[in-house]
Amino acid sequence: MNREINQLQLLIQKMAGLESRYDPGISMLRSPFSSPGYHTTLKQAEFVHSTRDSLSYALGLLDTGLARYEQRAFDIIRQVISLQDTDRSHDTFGIWSWFYEEPLQQMAPPDWNWADFCGSRLVQAIARHGHRFPDGLREAMIHSIDYACEAIIKRNVGPDYTNIAIIGAFVTRIAGEQLGREDYAVYGLERLRKLHAHTMKHGAFQEYNSPVYTYIAILELSKLQAETTDSVVKELTGELLDLTWKTVAGYYHPATAQWSGPHSRCYGSLLNDQSKAFLQLATGGAVRFFPWEELPYEEEWYKSGIHCPPAYLEGFTVPEKKEIRQLLQGDGQDGSGKWAVTYLTPAVSIGSFTHSDLWNQRRPLLIYADNHGQPAYIRLRCLHDGYDYCSARFKSLQEAGHLLFGVDFITDGGDTHPNLDRTGGIIEAADLRLRLEVGGCLNGITAGPTDEGASIVVGGTEFILTTWFAAFSGHGGAVRSWAWEIDRAEDIINIDMILYTGPRKSIDFTSLQQAALVFSLEVQPEEEEGVHAEPVLEMTDDGGLRVNGSGGRDGEFLLHLRPGTAE
């Protein structure tokens, strides 16, 4: 790899590419506005100036070593420091708003993670380039880092908030080493020890198998390992990185070049260019998506030390048939545990959680299939007026390529977010539906209805969707009478079961007598004929629906037949 790639040259190219986005009037980087729908109250802005992105840009400018960029970097850092809350009487002391255009008091709510994200860039800047700063700016940076550290320590997130636990450990530990603050250094090490113990006990991070969050974890642990001078920190980060890369290599599906599900957090169903470039760089080209000179390089990668251990490189290139089962929460023996299950063959990967909500950042049922050399995916969604509905709950049993799953509804959950917009069990809606979304490369894919569900054929592999039970009060259909509607657009195939569509009305889940659905989705290779045995469904005395698997789907799960509170 070292013969093929010059990371300094890629960094310089990256900085040149960002030139047009620099706003000298504000001394920050301008970006097109986008929002996840929470924290920020901005709705219509075309462009914004991000505090985090601007600091990343400033650090990248300094890392090039080019004198022509130095003053611009200083101007950016001085400006962003001025936007930090420095009033200790405020709950938001030590943090920043997301955008120059939106003060902290306007956010709903502010994002306390910004002490970690912005603090990490400042810590790296002072560690690598502290000698280059004018005295006044360097002193201001030290104060700003102090405030960020105080905010991080006061908040004191636990090891189950993986990425912020890592970044907070990074900021406090490296600040402690660089600024001679033993209190910060001790706190950072202790936080890292707790994360290490928690992760090793569970065998995985809390945000399990999340492409975006695992990427952040690898990057931030690598930075901490690269920047620290402490051997204990290096040892702990090394063990966490080894565990993480083992997971990534285990879930990589070579035929589709995708990161197999299920994903606890995800922003897209196919790997984006950043993820592809990251994997190419970290594996030294074992997976290769771009010519090295065209790699979409990120300034954060420079001097971060990201690399996949050689022992795991084979996982990125050698197709195999295997099943992965990982206990994430609870007891693995008494049936209360939450599991992630993934089945991989050279042609497909099928992943599911035993239970999950259907937030738009979850992928509790996710399939990748090789469509003649290109990736296609299948994912399950529940849509309220076109947006993913968090109070729909998913449960499943999976054995190899046989998946039995159910959907019910809770009355104390959120609408678009698990807890930021709780519904109280009542929503206004013009449309509510379940959807199997088929995306990626659609060439040659067929999808059609069957008597009991639907059939999807991708690159010679057939997936059989069967409806075993469907009830939603107010619908005229009875058990097994609900049809799936199939709509093929240019870049997506939607296979929908409509729960309600019509004039906008109030749907009160607390008053519904029945709202539960049970399906199976199975790979149907050529050597197998017919569908597997029908599951056993049993009504319980307390208004539940017990679903017992059969035909390769051993076990059971319980649904709320009548919507209720989360268990």
Side-chain angles (χ1 to χ4, degrees):
M1 183 185 74
N2 292 334
R3 291 193 300 270
E4 294 187 84
I5 185 168
N6 181 328
Q7 290 201 49
L8 178 57
Q9 185 58 42
L10 286 173
L11 176 65
I12 292 172
Q13 291 174 6
K14 172 72 173 184
M15 294 299 101
L18 293 174
E19 182 77 27
S20 63
R21 288 176 49 193
Y22 179 66
D23 186 342
I26 297 179
S27 297
M28 292 178 69
L29 197 68
R30 187 178 66 171
S31 305
F33 173 69
S34 63
S35 165
Y38 43 87
H39 283 307
T40 180
T41 59
L42 297 182
K43 303 296 182 185
Q44 304 299 325
E46 184 177 1
F47 293 98
V48 290
H49 297 78
S50 164
T51 49
R52 178 181 63 180
D53 292 354
S54 294
L55 287 178
S56 292
Y57 177 54
L59 178 59
L61 293 174
L62 293 171
D63 281 341
T64 67
L66 299 176
R68 68 176 183 269
Y69 285 143
E70 191 172 73
Q71 188 58 50
R72 178 179 296 183
F74 294 163
D75 292 343
I76 294 169
I77 291 172
R78 185 177 290 106
Q79 170 70 305
V80 176
I81 284 176
S82 74
L83 302 177
Q84 185 182 29
D85 187 345
T86 59
D87 188 334
R88 283 190 169 84
S89 69
H90 294 167
D91 289 341
T92 53
F93 169 72
I95 73 172
W96 287 259
S97 63
W98 282 4
F99 310 123
Y100 173 84
E101 288 75 12
E102 183 178 37
L104 273 169
Q105 59 270 24
Q106 185 178 322
M107 295 183 71
D111 190 345
W112 275 262
N113 293 344
W114 251 238
D116 307 79
F117 284 123
C118 293
S120 68
R121 274 70 170 175
L122 292 173
V123 163
Q124 284 178 282
I126 209 162
R128 295 178 186 174
H129 308 288
H131 62 285
R132 298 170 61 183
F133 287 96
D135 289 343
L137 180 56
R138 189 176 190 280
E139 184 177 353
M141 288 178 67
I142 292 172
H143 287 310
S144 183
I145 291 169
D146 280 338
Y147 302 152
C149 286
E150 288 183 43
I152 290 167
I153 293 170
K154 179 181 178 181
R155 187 183 180 202
N156 195 32
V157 303
D160 56 343
Y161 197 166
T162 306
N163 297 302
I164 299 305
I166 296 170
I167 301 173
F170 172 80
V171 173
T172 52
R173 179 68 208 187
I174 302 305
E177 293 182 16
Q178 290 293 322
L179 306 181
R181 288 291 300 263
E182 183 68 14
D183 52 341
Y184 295 165
V186 168
Y187 175 85
L189 175 58
E190 183 59 25
R191 183 150 159 168
L192 181 62
R193 286 189 191 276
K194 290 178 180 177
L195 174 71
H196 179 274
H198 179 84
T199 305
M200 292 301 176
K201 176 183 177 181
H202 292 87
F205 290 132
Q206 187 77 14
E207 296 86 2
Y208 185 69
N209 194 38
S210 164
V212 62
Y213 284 87
T214 303
Y215 156 74
I216 296 172
I218 290 174
L219 179 60
E220 299 300 333
L221 285 169
S222 298
K223 288 179 186 176
L224 180 50
Q225 187 177 61
E227 296 286 357
T228 187
T229 59
D230 186 81
S231 60
V232 176
V233 175
K234 288 184 181 293
E235 180 181 359
L236 293 172
T237 53
E239 291 178 4
L240 287 168
L241 283 165
D242 189 82
L243 174 69
T244 309
W245 276 115
K246 182 179 180 180
T247 299
V248 177
Y251 279 95
Y252 190 80
H253 190 237
T256 58
Q258 295 299 312
W259 189 318
S260 299
H263 300 153
S264 59
R265 298 286 297 275
C266 191
Y267 296 154
S269 295
L270 295 173
L271 290 179
N272 60 22
D273 283 351
Q274 181 194 63
S275 297
K276 292 176 180 178
F278 175 78
L279 289 174
Q280 179 172 325
L281 182 69
T283 62
V287 292
R288 192 153 180 169
F289 299 95
F290 310 95
W292 283 113
E293 64 275 9
E294 298 176 12
L295 189 83
Y297 192 77
E298 296 289 334
E299 61 268 28
E300 281 195 279
W301 301 345
Y302 190 68
K303 290 187 176 181
S304 68
I306 54 172
H307 71 280
C308 174
Y312 304 128
L313 290 177
E314 190 175 89
F316 292 94
T317 57
V318 180
E320 60 179 320
K321 185 175 182 178
K322 62 183 178 181
E323 187 175 62
I324 304 170
R325 290 184 174 271
Q326 176 68 49
L327 179 65
L328 303 180
Q329 297 173 2
D331 192 319
Q333 304 299 319
D334 65 5
S336 66
K338 177 180 179 179
W339 293 80
V341 183
T342 305
Y343 176 67
L344 298 98
T345 73
V348 302
S349 76
I350 305 172
S352 65
F353 289 122
T354 52
H355 53 276
S356 173
D357 60 38
L358 286 171
W359 185 27
N360 69 339
Q361 292 186 25
R362 306 268 192 246
R363 299 295 185 273
L365 188 168
L366 182 61
I367 296 172
Y368 291 110
D370 179 9
N371 189 12
H372 304 294
Q374 295 296 321
Y377 71 83
I378 302 171
R379 63 174 287 211
L380 178 71
R381 308 176 72 182
C382 181
L383 300 176
H384 168 205
D385 291 339
Y387 196 87
D388 300 87
Y389 184 53
C390 286
S391 287
R393 185 172 59 169
F394 174 88
K395 292 192 175 182
S396 77
L397 302 170
Q398 181 180 342
E399 292 288 342
H402 313 297
L403 179 64
L404 178 67
F405 64 97
V407 174
D408 64 7
F409 299 89
I410 58 174
T411 57
D412 59 345
D415 183 0
T416 65
H417 187 277
N419 51 48
L420 291 182
D421 57 356
R422 295 188 183 276
T423 68
I426 302 173
I427 61 172
E428 298 293 321
D431 190 271
L432 185 67
R433 64 183 63 203
L434 291 181
R435 170 172 292 173
L436 269 186
E437 177 182 288
V438 184
C441 177
L442 300 183
N443 296 338
I445 293 180
T446 62
T450 66
D451 290 343
E452 298 178 329
S455 167
I456 309 162
V457 180
V458 183
T461 301
E462 184 178 16
F463 301 89
I464 302 294
L465 173 66
T466 304
T467 304
W468 297 108
F469 179 90
F472 194 81
S473 297
H475 190 283
V479 173
R480 302 282 309 274
S481 70
W482 296 53
W484 291 87
E485 298 185 3
I486 299 175
D487 175 63
R488 183 167 187 139
E490 182 178 348
D491 59 353
I492 209 104
I493 299 173
N494 295 322
I495 304 171
D496 291 350
M497 177 173 283
I498 298 173
L499 305 180
Y500 173 76
T501 189
R504 190 168 186 80
K505 73 169 190 176
S506 177
I507 299 178
D508 185 352
F509 286 92
T510 66
S511 66
L512 297 185
Q513 296 301 307
Q514 292 189 340
L517 309 102
V518 180
F519 313 98
S520 62
L521 184 62
E522 303 182 301
V523 178
Q524 196 68 44
E526 294 179 0
E527 64 269 17
E528 295 187 18
E529 295 182 358
V531 297
H532 280 256
E534 182 173 351
V536 177
L537 307 180
E538 177 188 0
M539 308 295 180
T540 65
D541 293 337
D542 58 354
L545 179 66
R546 180 174 289 109
V547 182
N548 286 279
S550 59
R553 301 166 305 215
D554 294 333
E556 66 176 37
F557 57 80
L558 186 67
L559 299 175
H560 284 321
L561 189 56
R562 180 173 183 174
T565 58
E567 297 167 357

